[in-house]
């Protein structure tokens, strides 16, 4: 009878302490951050150099320096570099979020002063400098009409232009279109307002107004559409280029015409990105003041007709109230600014949800 001896598994030899990697304790980074902020606060407020913003910036620099020195002494140079760049990325994120958080906090804290029914249900007609009432109903109506008309004009033109550039455009003509779209991206809003003023208000509108030029909300919508068009074209073009080529080739292999492939395959695939670009252009248009001031004229009364007479907008209302010599005007301006931000946010969320429901291959 033979017995088989099973070799005994031996444990790996314990590594000596000299071969183990040394690491900073988990509390080292938070402790260094707190210490850096305290030192920065002592320097800034002790010498009276500035305020909390400078404390945060100086604290971030001291934190990065201290973390690199501590990691280099304990973990080695390679790990120290890794910690330094990781901390730099996180610090940059915090520094980028702080202004946004400050803006949101300021809007919410100061914009809630006039969140009442009178603000949303009345205009500034017959409101004097000593009147505490008055609202932005006329400006809300003007913003919705002007941005709505500009969107109805811009979105079809921009999407179709992008489709031509990506799917059909070849040669010098497509290059020229792309070049001018890039040039239009950097046009200041005041220039578009002057263009519409010279073309529509002074030349075209007299034909419909007994020979007299007239301001209107439609003229403001035309100026806003000029600002929105390059953003819509460029964002749509980039999203269409991201659609995988096998999707198109599969549709062509099944005998689907090109126009139907674009309509039923390419556009639904790129729809979320296209909607994002459209909402960015709408947000820019809703916040413009100069074109509305030049070609719509503004006004204190409610005007539901965008094709005649002066019309205001929320951005123009904020600009006017911020410059009024009244102690009640700043509260109206902050509340109007908060209303404009919330309006754009609601439209963006609604458009995102709609695009998500209609996306191909959910």
């Amino acid at each position: 009878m033979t017995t088989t001896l099973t070799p005994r598994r031996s444990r790996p030899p314990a590594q000596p302490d000299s071969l183990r990697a040394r690491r900073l304790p988990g509390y080292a980074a938070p402790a260094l951050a707190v210490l850096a902020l305290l030192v920065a606060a002592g320097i800034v407020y002790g010498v009276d150099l500035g305020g909390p913003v400078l404390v945060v910036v100086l604290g971030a620099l001291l934190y990065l320096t201290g973390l690199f020195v501590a990691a280099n002494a304990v973990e080695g140079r390679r790990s120290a570099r890794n910690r330094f760049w990781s901390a730099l990325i996180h610090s940059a994120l915090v520094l980028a979020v702080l202004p946004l958080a400050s803006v949101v906090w300021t809007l919410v804290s100061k914009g809630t002063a006039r969140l009442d029914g009178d603000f949303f249900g009345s205009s500034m007609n017959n409101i004097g400098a000593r009147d505490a009432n008055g609202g932005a109903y006329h400006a809300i109506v003007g913003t919705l009409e002007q941005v709505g008309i500009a969107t109805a004009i811009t979105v079809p033109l921009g999407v179709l232009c992008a489709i031509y550039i990506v799917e059909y455009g070849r040669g010098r003509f497509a290059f020229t279109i792309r070049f001018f779209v890039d040039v239009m991206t950097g046009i200041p809003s005041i220039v578009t307002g002057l263009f519409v003023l010279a073309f529509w208000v002074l030349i075209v509108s007299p034909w419909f107004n007994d020979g007299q030029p007239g301001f209107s909300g439609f003229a403001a919508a035309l100026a806003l559409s000029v600002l929105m068009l390059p953003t819509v074209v460029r964002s749509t073009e980039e999203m269409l280029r991201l659609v995988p080529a096998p999707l198109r080739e599969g549709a062509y292999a099944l005998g689907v015409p090109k126009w139907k492939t674009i309509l039923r395959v390419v556009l639904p695939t790129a729809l979320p990105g296209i909607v994002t670009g459209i909402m960015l252009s709408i947000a820019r248009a809703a916040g413009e003041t100069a074109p509305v001031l030049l070609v719509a004229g503004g006004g204190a009364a409610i005007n539901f007709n965008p094709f005649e007479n002066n019309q205001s907008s929320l951005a123009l209302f904020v600009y006017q109230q911020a410059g009024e010599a009244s102690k009640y005007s700043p509260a109206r301006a902050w509340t109007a600014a908060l209303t404009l931000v919330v309006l754009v946010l609601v439209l963006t969320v609604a458009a995102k949800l709609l695009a998500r429901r209609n996306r191909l291959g959910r």
Side-chain angles (χ1 to χ4, degrees):
M1 181 175 180
T2 59
T3 58
T4 305
L5 296 178
T6 319
R8 203 176 200 187
R9 293 184 180 179
S10 59
R11 295 181 180 179
Q15 295 180 351
D17 294 338
S18 59
L19 296 181
R20 293 177 183 175
R22 300 173 61 191
R23 305 287 296 177
L24 284 174
Y27 59 84
L32 284 173
V34 174
L35 181 62
L37 286 176
L38 292 177
V39 173
I43 295 175
V44 172
Y45 291 116
V47 190
D48 196 14
L49 294 176
V53 176
L54 184 59
V55 171
V56 174
V57 174
L58 183 59
L61 295 177
L62 293 176
Y63 167 69
L64 293 174
T65 305
L67 183 63
F68 179 81
V69 172
N72 188 33
V74 176
E75 300 177 351
R77 190 170 186 82
R78 181 176 180 180
S79 180
R81 284 199 298 263
N82 179 53
R83 280 185 175 273
F84 174 81
W85 287 108
S86 299
L88 180 63
I89 293 172
H90 289 91
S91 301
L93 173 64
V94 173
L95 292 177
V97 170
L98 281 178
L100 177 61
S102 176
V103 170
V104 173
W105 171 254
T106 305
L107 272 177
V108 173
S109 60
K110 295 187 176 182
T112 54
R114 283 298 315 274
L115 283 179
D116 49 42
D118 181 69
F119 182 83
F120 295 102
S122 63
S123 67
M124 292 298 296
N125 199 22
N126 298 324
I127 299 296
R130 297 183 178 180
D131 295 326
N133 296 325
Y137 180 66
H138 62 299
I140 296 174
V141 171
T143 296
L144 292 176
E145 291 185 351
Q146 294 164 19
V147 175
I149 294 174
T151 304
I153 295 173
T154 306
V155 172
L157 290 177
V159 173
L160 291 175
C161 181
I163 290 175
Y164 171 78
I165 293 175
V166 175
E167 304 292 340
Y168 297 97
R170 298 292 185 272
R172 186 170 297 178
F173 183 64
F175 174 79
T176 304
I177 294 176
R178 191 179 297 108
F179 172 77
F180 279 107
V181 168
D182 292 338
V183 171
M184 288 177 62
T185 305
I187 293 179
S189 59
I190 190 71
V191 175
T192 63
L194 290 172
F195 168 73
V196 175
L197 175 67
F199 172 69
W200 182 266
V201 176
L202 298 180
I203 297 178
V204 179
S205 65
W207 296 354
F208 309 99
N209 197 26
D210 297 329
Q212 298 294 327
F215 293 152
S216 64
F218 181 74
L222 291 178
L224 296 179
S225 65
V226 176
L227 293 173
M228 294 171 61
L229 186 61
T231 304
V232 175
V233 173
R234 290 298 293 166
S235 60
T236 305
E237 179 187 353
E238 295 301 325
M239 290 302 105
L240 293 178
R241 292 188 186 279
L242 291 177
V243 176
L247 289 179
R248 297 182 176 89
E249 296 170 356
Y252 298 153
L254 295 174
V256 181
K258 187 171 185 177
W259 67 270
K260 187 173 289 188
T261 301
I262 297 172
L263 185 64
R264 302 299 296 273
V265 176
V266 177
L267 285 179
T269 306
L271 186 61
I274 295 174
V275 170
T276 300
I278 292 174
M279 297 314 302
L280 287 175
S281 65
I282 290 176
R284 181 190 178 185
E288 290 293 342
T289 304
V292 182
L293 180 63
L294 284 175
V295 300
I302 300 172
N303 179 18
F304 290 99
N305 187 357
F307 297 99
E308 61 181 16
N309 297 328
N310 292 18
Q311 194 176 57
S312 185
S313 69
L314 279 172
L316 182 57
F317 180 80
V318 172
Y319 170 76
Q320 292 172 340
Q321 290 299 310
E324 289 286 337
S326 172
K327 65 178 182 179
Y328 304 107
S329 296
R332 299 191 195 107
W334 282 111
T335 306
L338 178 61
T339 304
L340 180 59
V341 172
V342 172
L343 180 63
V344 173
L345 177 63
V346 170
L347 291 176
T348 303
V349 172
K352 282 288 188 180
L353 293 177
L354 182 62
R356 183 177 297 180
R357 288 188 59 187
N358 294 330
R359 186 170 54 187
L360 184 67
R362 288 179 294 170

